[in-house]
Amino acid sequence: MPRSRPVLGLPLAVIVVAGVMSGLGTGPALADPGPDGTLYVNHDVTCSDSGTGTQSLPFCTVQAAADVVEPGDTVLILSPDDDPYSGAVTLTRSGTSDAPITFTGAQPGSASARAVLGWPGSAPSLTLDAVHDVRVESLSFINNGGNGVAVTGSEDVTLDRLAINHPALDAPATGSAVSVDGTSSDVTVSRSSMGPSYAYGVRTEPGAARVTVTTNTIFTTRQGGIAITGTSGADVTSNTVLAACATGISLDGASSGAVENNIAISAGAAQSSTCPAPTAPLYAVSADSTGQVTADYNVAAKDGGPSAPSRTEYSWGGTSYATSAAFRAGTTQAAHDIDGLGVTPGNQPPERSPLVDSADAAAPGELTTDLAGNPRADDPIVDNTGTGTPAPDRGALEREDVITIPADAYPSNGVAPFDTSVKTDAVSNWAKALTYSVDFGDGSTPATGTQGTPITHSYSTPGRYLTRITVTDSDGTSKLGTGWTTAGTATPPAAALSATADTTNDGQTDAGSARFTVPEPADAWEVAYRTLTFGDGAQENLADGVQQTTHQYPAPGTYTATLTQTDLFGRTTTARTAFHAADAFIPVTPQHDTEKTIAAHGVLKLSAATLHADSDGVDAAQLQLVTSNAKASGALTLYTHGTTRPGTAGITFEPGRTATAETTVKVTPTGAVDVYNGSSRAVTVDVATVGLQSHAQYADTYHPATPARLLDTRTGTGGAHAPVAGGHSVTLAVGGTHGVPANATAVVLDVTATTTKASGSLTVSTHGTSGSSVSGPFWTTGQTASAQVVIPLKDGKIVLRNGSKAAANLMADLAGWYGTTANGSEFLPVTPVRVLKTARIAAHATLKLKVTGAHGVPATGVTAADLNLTVSAPSGNGYLVAYADGTARPGVYSLSFTKGHTAADRALTKVGADGEIDLYNAGSVPVNVSADLLGGCIVFPAS
């Protein structure tokens, strides 16, 4: 399997070579070269170091290939994802003069990408140990320890087109980009770039023979660029060396050879601990070597212009020479040397530079191509002052003809099939005749042509093709130009878009945050860009490929998001999806928020902070109200501050009675809630927050249940078989029963006290949590009283405590629960509205109430309605049952009432498939019932 990729900041398309890497096996490898004698290394695909190195199952590491390579084989190191290898490699196997071994990192289809061998320690990235007839080419190296390639005890070795980046990056350091030991011979280092670093560029040791260092660029800021020691037959030719703090090119230890066509450049460095010798000579030949070394056609230059400090240019047999003229006068060398130039390392010579066409074509080691692979060219603008036809330029880079390919030369776009052409009007700066080769990128054979005659082509298959135009002048200088051509499909790619609420891994939902999925379209290559507008004024530009993005909406509501996809021809396609931003429930440990007396027809203003509703995206607070000390009958109405007061009731009360009810009210994190006392006398109210609804926080969803009785002490349901004594409690397991999961975070219950022997109240608490409790119903002697409560769950249990002095039977009926299980309902708060004006329900009769499709509640997808039910001054005792229309009536209490006393309470009621709920009067007398709508619980369809 492809392995994970380390993150390395490499300047090239790099491959760093591994000594040992995990593959499909670790046993010894066997070679199985392809028909062309190629062994493959590629750790970006399924690979095996115990395999045979085929293209379909390559080696994972270069070392595995090095261990089995045979004469005539080529080891091709691949990395299509630019994934670096890691580790040092040692080669101990040899080729023959007729069948050399080749290691190459040239990436198929790329003229510049190459592979890298790298190792962060002091060992060389690559060691050629006692081998012969070996060629290493087109590799890049990363080695911060100090050594790139080491040649030891080897002969007939060629190192070509290497990039050795940052060997020994940190000072002090004495490593080498390339080192050749004293037992090696016939080694060529060519067309490679080394540095910048604190290491030597190329260094040989005493005893080495016939070492050629040609056409390289070497940038070193501490050590020597090319240091030849005790080496016979050393040819140092056409290199460009920037050595800021040491000698650029040196030969000592009785070395012999030639130094020609080089450029050594000084820099404006100051002496320091990291730059001990900024005035060292650019060229140095020791006294024991001068009789065996020739030097000519070299350049002593400066980097940084005339402000760079002066520096000795030559040291010959211990004598220093400040200029080339002085060196020429004092020796028999340097007849054609030049100095006084400002040279920028890494660039080809500028037009009309003395470096152009002024080198010796017959210099030992001189190549026919430069560092970039360009042929030596004759610049017609300057006179030839060198030797040969053409005379080469000095240094590693040749001044080439400037060929300009017009921007409009490339094929036009069209809808396939269509005909197009390439213009052949490129311009040669040297007025050379030009020829063309055009690869149209669709697998057809490249076409050729001459200047002035367009090259035509027909694209028959839709696709995006990279056209490569190669223009070559009569000297062989080429310019490659590339451009994309689009052969479009008959119709633009179709767009697709879907959205779901954003959910965490543990199942909590941010009901106001949409997670949009944009699949990659068919014919994705044809798409230019995609823009997603979210329907609330915001938009996002999307990248290529499959995209997922989230967007937080500012408020609950239905938003239409639109994906606009534009192809390369400007054609657009769109996809739309509706997202319903809503609320998720945050259970709150019930706590006393405020207790205030409200005057007759007065208003109590409660800030969001008081209600703990001042956090992100809170749209509604679920409150418990307890009224006391009422001097007259009445009702409290709750509504958002600054809005019109609705004609609804959150709780009703009477003199001499304590009343309790839960209700839901819309709120904003920066707003407030008004509590209006509709009575003609004052009343005291205690307010506690038991939950919040937010569209911008990860929270829980609601799961309405089929109403079911969990506890009835009269029948033993729930485990209790007798009335609960005054001051005593009963523990009820809720989680894990009747579909409530063990990890539910809160439960909605209708709790009832009956056969009461004295006045009292019921308290419902979270099991095992001190202080987490809500008030249940309050009652008078003989009264049956009920209330709906929401209570957090800790271990799935709750505790019901009889606060009376006398025993009472207790009941608990399940209405629903909150949690993270899938398919939960989100909440949409609405402005309170009376959806059922006082309606008379006969004894044992049922009233159907439509609660969907109006007042902000959708027509479909509604699972529960948040209602306040009121029975006004009944003429007898009884109770209401609220349940989903179309289902069997459950044997539960939703709201109990007593003769002559108005009763009101919340009913979070499951809704039937037709959007209706049923209200059943279980009493023996007709009653007048009203209903106020506070919100709806919704399961939105997947978009």
Side-chain angles (χ1 to χ4, degrees):
M1 298 296 292
R3 62 178 179 81
S4 60
R5 296 174 54 188
V7 179
L8 297 178
L10 302 182
L12 300 171
V14 287
I15 309 170
V16 184
V17 176
V20 179
M21 292 197 96
S22 61
L24 298 181
T26 57
L30 300 174
D32 184 18
D36 57 352
T38 301
L39 297 175
Y40 293 88
V41 180
N42 187 352
H43 65 184
D44 284 344
V45 299
T46 300
C47 59
S48 172
D49 276 352
S50 61
T52 55
T54 61
Q55 187 171 10
S56 59
L57 186 62
F59 294 125
C60 298
T61 67
V62 176
Q63 188 63 57
D67 289 342
V68 297
V69 66
E70 297 287 346
D73 288 346
T74 295
V75 175
L76 177 56
I77 306 164
L78 296 171
S79 186
D81 293 334
D82 296 338
D83 189 3
Y85 297 78
S86 178
V89 172
T90 299
L91 176 67
T92 58
R93 300 171 72 88
S94 298
T96 67
S97 59
D98 294 330
I101 287 173
T102 299
F103 280 73
T104 180
Q107 302 298 284
S110 173
S112 59
R114 60 183 109 188
V116 174
L117 315 186
W119 181 243
S122 59
S125 297
L126 173 63
T127 300
L128 305 181
D129 186 15
V131 301
H132 58 84
D133 296 293
V134 171
R135 181 180 182 86
V136 179
E137 64 181 22
S138 299
L139 290 168
S140 188
F141 295 77
I142 293 296
N143 190 313
N144 291 333
N147 294 280
V149 180
V151 181
T152 62
S154 299
E155 60 181 333
D156 293 312
V157 170
T158 298
L159 306 176
D160 187 43
R161 289 174 292 172
L162 307 181
I164 305 177
N165 303 291
H166 309 302
L169 180 62
D170 300 320
T174 58
S176 301
V178 176
S179 63
V180 180
D181 81 339
T183 61
S184 297
S185 62
D186 298 292
V187 177
T188 298
V189 182
S190 58
R191 295 189 298 179
S192 297
S193 59
M194 306 172 201
S197 76
Y198 284 93
Y200 286 94
V202 177
R203 183 168 56 165
T204 68
E205 297 177 357
R210 297 177 300 282
V211 176
T212 300
V213 184
T214 180
T215 322
N216 304 286
T217 58
I218 301 171
F219 305 153
T220 174
T221 56
R222 178 180 174 88
Q223 307 295 349
I226 301 172
I228 307 296
T229 300
T231 300
S232 61
D235 295 324
V236 181
T237 305
S238 292
N239 301 284
T240 299
V241 178
L242 173 65
C245 299
T247 301
I249 298 173
S250 65
L251 287 82
D252 59 21
S255 294
S256 63
V259 181
E260 287 201 43
N261 298 346
N262 301 285
I263 302 173
I265 308 170
S266 64
Q271 186 170 6
S272 66
S273 60
T274 59
C275 185
T279 58
L282 293 176
Y283 298 90
V285 179
S286 63
D288 57 5
S289 304
T290 56
Q292 306 164 125
V293 173
T294 60
D296 201 2
Y297 291 95
N298 297 301
V299 179
K302 293 180 179 180
D303 176 30
S307 63
S310 60
R311 182 171 175 180
T312 298
E313 294 181 357
Y314 303 90
S315 174
W316 189 263
T319 301
S320 297
Y321 299 94
T323 65
S324 60
F327 179 42
R328 189 161 42 249
T331 68
T332 59
Q333 307 291 330
H336 304 90
D337 280 19
I338 53 179
D339 57 9
L341 300 180
V343 174
T344 302
N347 291 349
Q348 63 174 264
E351 196 68 273
R352 294 185 173 84
S353 168
L355 304 176
V356 176
D357 292 350
S358 65
D360 180 12
E366 179 68 25
L367 303 180
T368 59
T369 58
D370 72 351
L371 176 73
N374 296 317
R376 297 300 186 183
D378 182 18
D379 184 348
I381 299 176
V382 301
D383 294 331
N384 289 349
T385 57
T387 69
T389 304
D393 298 349
R394 305 191 194 201
L397 287 163
E398 182 83 0
R399 176 70 194 181
E400 299 292 333
D401 185 10
V402 177
I403 300 174
T404 303
I405 301 176
D408 62 352
Y410 302 93
S412 59
N413 300 321
V415 174
F418 73 100
D419 295 329
T420 186
S421 65
V422 169
K423 293 183 179 179
T424 54
D425 53 357
V427 176
S428 162
N429 195 48
W430 294 348
K432 301 280 187 178
L434 302 176
T435 57
Y436 288 76
S437 175
V438 182
D439 182 350
F440 288 94
D442 59 355
S444 60
T445 301
T448 59
T450 57
Q451 197 168 13
T453 303
I455 300 173
T456 61
H457 184 71
S458 179
Y459 285 103
S460 59
T461 304
R464 193 159 188 251
Y465 304 105
L466 182 63
T467 300
R468 299 173 181 269
I469 302 175
T470 303
V471 183
T472 306
D473 71 10
S474 55
D475 286 336
T477 298
S478 295
K479 171 69 177 291
L480 173 65
T482 59
W484 288 99
T485 300
T486 300
T489 56
T491 58
L497 176 67
S498 62
T500 59
D502 191 20
T503 304
T504 64
N505 290 335
D506 59 4
Q508 287 198 315
T509 296
D510 183 345
S513 176
R515 181 176 292 277
F516 292 96
T517 298
V518 181
E520 186 169 55
D523 302 315
W525 55 268
E526 198 169 1
V527 176
Y529 56 89
R530 297 179 289 179
T531 301
L532 178 58
T533 57
F534 298 107
D536 61 353
Q539 70 177 39
E540 180 178 335
N541 294 324
L542 302 180
D544 296 334
V546 176
Q547 293 291 301
Q548 279 201 334
T549 188
T550 57
H551 180 69
Q552 182 68 57
Y553 282 96
T558 298
Y559 300 87
T560 299
T562 302
L563 173 69
T564 302
Q565 187 170 271
T566 304
D567 72 4
L568 295 170
F569 295 92
R571 302 176 297 183
T572 61
T573 52
T574 58
R576 293 179 175 84
T577 188
F579 180 74
H580 309 278
D583 289 329
F585 180 73
I586 305 169
V588 174
T589 299
Q591 49 195 299
H592 174 83
D593 291 334
T594 188
E595 184 176 5
K596 297 286 185 180
T597 297
I598 310 175
H601 305 296
V603 175
L604 171 64
K605 181 179 178 182
L606 300 175
S607 69
T610 299
L611 300 176
H612 311 284
D614 53 346
S615 57
D616 288 347
V618 172
D619 298 305
Q622 194 162 302
L623 307 177
Q624 181 170 82
L625 308 175
V626 179
T627 59
S628 59
N629 303 320
K631 306 304 181 184
S633 298
L636 297 181
T637 299
L638 283 77
Y639 56 101
T640 305
H641 179 72
T643 64
T644 302
R645 183 176 73 244
T648 58
I651 187 172
T652 61
F653 52 83
E654 297 176 345
R657 287 177 176 248
T658 300
T660 183
E662 291 194 2
T663 191
T664 302
V665 60
K666 291 181 70 175
V667 66
T668 65
T670 57
V673 169
D674 286 348
V675 184
Y676 170 72
N677 177 13
S679 173
S680 61
R681 301 288 297 275
V683 67
T684 298
V685 62
D686 185 289
V687 181
T689 302
V690 297
L692 300 170
Q693 301 282 359
S694 172
H695 71 269
Q697 297 184 54
Y698 290 105
D700 301 330
T701 52
Y702 183 61
H703 301 258
T706 299
R709 181 144 292 171
L710 305 182
L711 173 71
D712 191 337
T713 59
R714 300 171 302 176
T715 63
T717 300
H721 297 80
V724 179
H728 286 69
S729 302
V730 60
T731 299
L732 174 65
V734 177
T737 182
H738 290 83
V740 180
N743 64 345
T745 56
V747 65
V748 182
L749 298 174
D750 288 304
V751 293
T752 303
T754 191
T755 60
T756 56
K757 306 301 183 183
S759 62
S761 65
L762 179 64
T763 300
V764 185
S765 303
T766 302
H767 183 258
T769 302
S770 176
S772 179
S773 61
V774 293
S775 297
F778 289 78
W779 62 82
T780 59
T781 301
Q783 180 187 2
T784 295
S786 61
Q788 188 171 91
V789 298
V790 175
I791 187 72
L793 294 176
K794 179 180 179 182
D795 56 7
K797 299 177 182 178
I798 62 167
V799 178
L800 294 89
R801 184 180 183 277
N802 177 6
S804 175
K805 294 181 180 179
N809 278 303
L810 304 181
M811 291 176 285
D813 300 325
L814 176 67
W817 53 273
Y818 291 98
T820 58
T821 303
N823 301 318
S825 300
E826 300 164 4
F827 184 71
L828 283 178
V830 302
T831 300
V833 59
R834 181 146 289 179
V835 292
L836 177 64
K837 297 183 179 179
T838 303
R840 192 169 181 84
I841 306 178
H844 307 298
T846 300
L847 172 71
K848 296 181 183 294
L849 176 63
K850 183 77 169 181
V851 292
T852 63
H855 310 298
V857 176
T860 60
V862 180
T863 61
D866 192 355
L867 301 169
N868 279 344
L869 299 178
T870 302
V871 175
S872 302
S875 59
N877 299 334
Y879 61 92
L880 292 181
V881 181
Y883 60 100
D885 185 52
T887 65
R889 184 176 73 247
V892 299
Y893 283 47
S894 297
L895 173 65
S896 60
F897 52 85
T898 303
K899 180 180 178 180
H901 299 284
T902 297
D905 197 15
R906 183 193 191 208
L908 187 55
T909 304
K910 193 172 184 179
V911 174
D914 56 3
E916 295 183 345
I917 63 170
D918 290 349
L919 298 175
Y920 172 70
N921 177 10
S924 58
V925 297
V927 292
N928 294 318
V929 179
S930 60
D932 300 328
L933 179 66
L934 308 176
C937 297
I938 318 295
V939 173
F940 293 110
S943 60

